[in-house]
Amino acid sequence: MSHLYALRKILRTIGTLAGGAYHHSKLRDDLEMDIVDLAELHNSIEEVYDITISDKTFDHFHTVGDIIRYLEAHSAKIP
């Protein structure tokens, strides 16, 4: 399983259009995520991947690819 596939599963659980989530997809614009959705995404990623991402770091994620690059750089195991 890839990080993209895992993120799509997470996005589906929080009710965000997951099938259309690609590396270049913008969280706010393309996936239409609001502040509540982003908070849920942040919490879900931490729970699923068993990692901690600071709020400051998470605020720099603008695309699905940003999250994937972070997970790859921090050796997060694919759930």
Side-chain angles (χ1 to χ4, degrees):
M1 181 181 337
S2 70
H3 287 297
L4 179 59
Y5 180 77
L7 284 173
R8 283 179 179 164
K9 284 177 59 176
I10 292 169
L11 290 167
R12 264 189 235 105
T13 64
I14 62 174
T16 302
L17 176 66
Y22 302 98
H23 285 270
H24 64 276
S25 298
K26 294 177 184 174
L27 300 174
R28 288 185 181 261
D29 296 335
D30 299 331
L31 300 180
E32 299 178 353
M33 298 184 81
D34 61 20
I35 194 75
V36 174
D37 295 328
L38 292 170
E40 284 186 63
L41 176 62
H42 185 173
N43 293 332
S44 295
I45 290 171
E46 289 184 328
E47 184 179 314
V48 168
Y49 280 92
D50 194 27
I51 60 173
T52 301
I53 304 170
S54 72
D55 291 339
K56 186 176 181 177
T57 298
F58 197 83
D59 287 343
H60 287 101
F61 298 155
H62 300 288
T63 67
V64 171
D66 293 339
I67 297 170
I68 291 171
R69 281 188 291 283
Y70 178 88
L71 295 172
E72 290 172 346
H74 292 84
S75 301
K77 293 180 183 174
I78 299 172

